[in-house]
Amino acid sequence: MAHDHSHGGHGNQANEKALWIALALTGGFMLTELIGGLLSHSLALLSDAAHMVTDTAALLIALLAIRVSRRQADARRTFGYARFEILAAAFNALLLLGVAVYIMVEAVRRLMQPPELQTGTMLAIAVLGLVVNLIAMRVLTASQDDSLNLRGAYLEVLSDMLGSVGVIIAALIVRYTGWTPADPIVAVLIALWVVPRTWSLLRTSSNVLLEGVPSGIDPQAVREALAAQPEVEDVHDLHIWGLTPQRRLLSAHLVIADTLDPEHGDRLIARVNELMHDTFDISHCTLQLERSHCTAHPHLHPHDALHPDHPHGGQA
């Protein structure tokens, strides 16, 4: 059964361009915000600056992931390198969680010993950061649904945008009321907002790396759809996983009647492939057809299942 092995090269090129633009914006602003946070003694601004640092690293990793995932399959990586993007997404999620923990710990210290804040510097840099992040978000918005890797980069920039809004609010509160706890409180709120979204990204990427069933697929429904085929008497060794959330794969053994001829077996395989693609968005199926008498004789080699007289029959 022929498979479509085109995996969106043009999409990857567009994603890479978006990442380069976002990287130029965030990387160029990162040093300004970091220095401004140190000069103004603002934890909220330093929190945003820390996210900008992780943004820059995350975007670089995301770019590297796209470059690596574009490499063709070889003898050692027979499915190619697409899953490198999932590793990048998981790393970015862990990086963001680490930053969130640091901000919360530092916020407690700042509440106990509040420093003197330079609200003018805070406000100016936060407004500039907001503009930069809004532009970067606009660039990445169209690409975030294309891959988990881009989704991770988008979440990084989104958290920074909210961080800039938080810094502006904190600066205005401190400037006009003198209530300095507003700064670390806003920093904690930023961190708490990021954590559940980051956890979701980590959970999704971990499921892919652990070869779990992709989200939205009911294994029992797949099994029933396979078993409902007129030629199929039983289904076993069913496995469903994904190289990425968008590239879903399936392998299964289908038990068929002893009297089914090879031509009907080929038509069954073609029909099942079409069914899996149209109903469950599974793009790659590996199906083993077994004669019903073979299930009672486990010593028989699986290749003998469809064509007992042919050493290479039975696998599609």
Side-chain angles (χ1 to χ4, degrees):
M1 180 67 188
H3 297 289
D4 180 10
H5 292 284
S6 174
H7 302 305
H10 295 296
N12 266 353
Q13 291 176 359
N15 293 343
E16 185 176 358
K17 181 179 179 181
L19 283 170
W20 275 116
I21 295 173
L23 178 62
L25 291 169
T26 57
F29 183 71
M30 177 186 65
L31 289 177
T32 302
E33 192 167 34
L34 186 60
I35 294 171
L38 293 172
L39 292 176
S40 65
H41 306 293
S42 167
L43 181 60
L45 192 54
L46 285 174
S47 172
D48 200 35
H51 283 148
M52 293 294 279
V53 173
T54 60
D55 269 358
T56 303
L59 291 170
L60 283 171
I61 293 168
L63 280 166
L64 176 63
I66 286 181
R67 290 292 181 94
V68 172
S69 67
R70 194 180 295 156
R71 294 172 61 182
Q72 296 297 315
D74 53 40
R76 295 186 62 84
R77 302 288 186 273
T78 56
F79 274 115
Y81 294 79
R83 193 167 281 183
F84 193 89
E85 292 194 42
I86 308 303
L87 288 172
F91 179 82
N92 289 343
L94 290 172
L95 200 60
L96 267 176
L97 287 175
V99 170
V101 170
Y102 164 76
I103 294 303
M104 291 179 189
V105 172
E106 181 64 14
V108 172
R109 190 184 70 82
R110 293 290 185 102
L111 285 170
M112 297 172 61
Q113 297 178 337
E116 183 179 350
L117 301 175
Q118 303 296 324
T119 55
T121 303
M122 281 178 63
L123 197 56
I125 294 177
V127 170
L128 180 58
L130 177 61
V131 173
V132 168
N133 287 316
L134 285 173
I135 296 173
M137 279 181 61
R138 179 61 182 266
V139 170
L140 292 174
T141 296
S143 304
Q144 64 156 323
D145 293 329
D146 293 343
S147 78
L148 203 61
N149 183 33
L150 268 292
R151 177 64 175 167
Y154 177 83
L155 283 176
E156 295 262 11
V157 177
L158 175 61
S159 68
D160 274 341
M161 186 275 292
L162 292 173
S164 296
V165 173
V167 173
I168 292 172
I169 293 171
L172 292 173
I173 291 174
V174 175
R175 186 180 186 89
Y176 292 107
T177 70
W179 193 56
T180 55
D183 180 63
I185 288 174
V186 166
V188 169
L189 290 175
I190 294 169
L192 289 176
W193 187 91
V194 171
V195 166
R197 288 153 183 81
T198 304
W199 181 254
S200 175
L201 176 65
L202 182 60
R203 186 175 63 240
T204 303
S205 57
S206 297
N207 185 61
V208 175
L209 294 174
L210 292 172
E211 298 192 341
V213 176
S215 175
I217 291 184
D218 180 0
Q220 185 59 33
V222 174
R223 181 180 296 276
E224 291 174 356
L226 293 172
Q229 301 307 304
E231 304 89 343
V232 176
E233 297 183 355
D234 190 22
V235 179
H236 62 96
D237 288 335
L238 174 63
H239 301 282
I240 310 168
W241 73 103
L243 288 180
T244 68
Q246 292 78 29
R247 293 178 59 185
R248 300 168 170 185
L249 298 87
L250 174 148
S251 68
H253 288 208
L254 306 181
V255 179
I256 59 176
D258 295 342
T259 57
L260 191 70
D261 61 79
E263 184 178 348
H264 280 85
D266 291 340
R267 287 203 290 266
L268 169 63
I269 290 172
R271 190 188 328 126
V272 168
N273 270 278
E274 184 177 359
L275 173 68
M276 293 297 104
H277 181 273
D278 294 345
T279 306
F280 301 101
D281 196 24
I282 297 174
S283 58
H284 190 113
C285 296
T286 302
L287 303 170
Q288 176 79 39
L289 301 187
E290 297 179 356
R291 298 292 185 184
S292 57
H293 75 275
C294 292
T295 59
H297 299 83
H299 61 278
L300 292 179
H301 193 280
H303 286 162
D304 298 333
L306 184 59
H307 304 286
D309 299 325
H310 196 289
H312 301 298
Q315 191 165 0

